[in-house]
């Protein structure tokens, strides 16, 4: 089973593609693209969501073997700001894509992924691995989401 894990971010959303059949699990995009950078002329929310949706089309066209999607959703709290709302729009774009293309999709928070913000990097490395470039907590979130999807059919 090939799983795409996704973590929204107002500036640079991240995604991980994990081969859940391999032993040990393999992070298929460890050495390739893992972040989605908005073009400079893409500043309005509607333009960003549209651009991101088209990126999902490209990713799924390139990786036709993706069986499942797991989104590490934002942990909302009282007093959230516009950045978290923008991130939720990104999650909605992926949910829409999956719904229109009959791809199973699940949303998770840290508690249901068996980790915490402070430990997510270490857990991602121990369970699957890490990217060779641009490794950060958001990417670790995407890796853990994909790991969960690969180990919880």
């Amino acid at each position: 089973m090939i799983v795409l894990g996704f973590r929204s971010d107002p500036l640079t959303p991240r995604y991980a593609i994990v081969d859940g059949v391999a032993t040990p699990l393999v992070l298929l995009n460890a050495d390739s693209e893992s972040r989605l950078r908005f073009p400079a002329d893409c500043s309005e929310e509607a333009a960003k969501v549209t651009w991101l949706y088209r990126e999902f089309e490209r990713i799924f066209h390139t990786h036709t073997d993706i069986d499942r999607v797991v989104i590490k959703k934002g942990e909302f709290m009282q007093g959230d700001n516009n950045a978290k709302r923008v991130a939720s729009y990104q999650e909605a774009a992926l949910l829409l894509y999956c719904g229109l293309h009959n791809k199973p999709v699940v949303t998770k928070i840290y508690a249901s992924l068996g980790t915490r913000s402070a430990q997510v990097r270490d857990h991602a490395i121990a369970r699957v691995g890490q990217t060779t470039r641009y490794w950060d907590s958001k990417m670790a979130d995407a890796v853990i989401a994909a790991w969960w999807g690969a180990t919880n059919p």
Side-chain angles (χ1 to χ4, degrees):
M1 174 182 295
I2 305 296
V3 180
L4 181 136
F6 178 76
R7 180 60 161 105
S8 59
D9 182 77
L11 301 176
T12 311
R14 305 301 300 268
Y15 73 97
I17 301 174
V18 170
D19 182 344
V21 176
T23 305
L25 300 178
V26 176
L27 179 59
L28 297 175
N29 62 331
D31 298 321
S32 59
E33 179 187 63
S34 63
R35 64 185 190 155
L36 301 168
R37 297 195 51 142
F38 294 104
D41 64 342
C42 192
S43 59
E44 299 297 319
E45 292 171 351
K48 285 184 175 185
V49 170
T50 302
W51 179 86
L52 190 59
Y53 183 89
R54 290 187 178 128
E55 285 297 291
F56 293 141
E57 288 178 323
R58 180 186 60 80
I59 292 165
F60 280 92
H61 180 73
T62 303
H63 302 277
T64 58
D65 52 353
I66 295 173
D67 300 302
R68 186 178 194 193
V69 175
V70 180
I71 299 171
K72 167 40 182 99
K73 50 183 191 173
E75 313 265 339
F76 294 104
M77 303 174 162
Q78 187 175 10
D80 279 341
N81 57 22
N82 191 49
K84 289 217 178 171
R85 284 192 279 295
V86 170
S88 68
Y89 302 157
Q90 295 171 5
E91 295 164 10
L94 184 52
L95 287 167
L96 177 63
Y97 179 88
C98 291
L100 292 175
H101 293 88
N102 299 315
K103 291 286 182 183
V105 62
V106 179
T107 59
K108 295 287 179 184
I109 60 173
Y110 283 126
S112 59
L113 291 170
T115 191
R116 296 185 317 208
S117 177
Q119 299 171 318
V120 71
R121 286 185 189 203
D122 293 336
H123 284 170
I125 292 168
R127 293 172 181 165
V128 181
Q130 72 183 75
T131 55
T132 55
R133 299 178 355 187
Y134 310 116
W135 180 248
D136 62 9
S137 295
K138 300 283 182 172
M139 187 61 207
D141 287 346
V143 170
I144 284 294
W147 163 83
W148 187 93
T151 57
N152 293 279

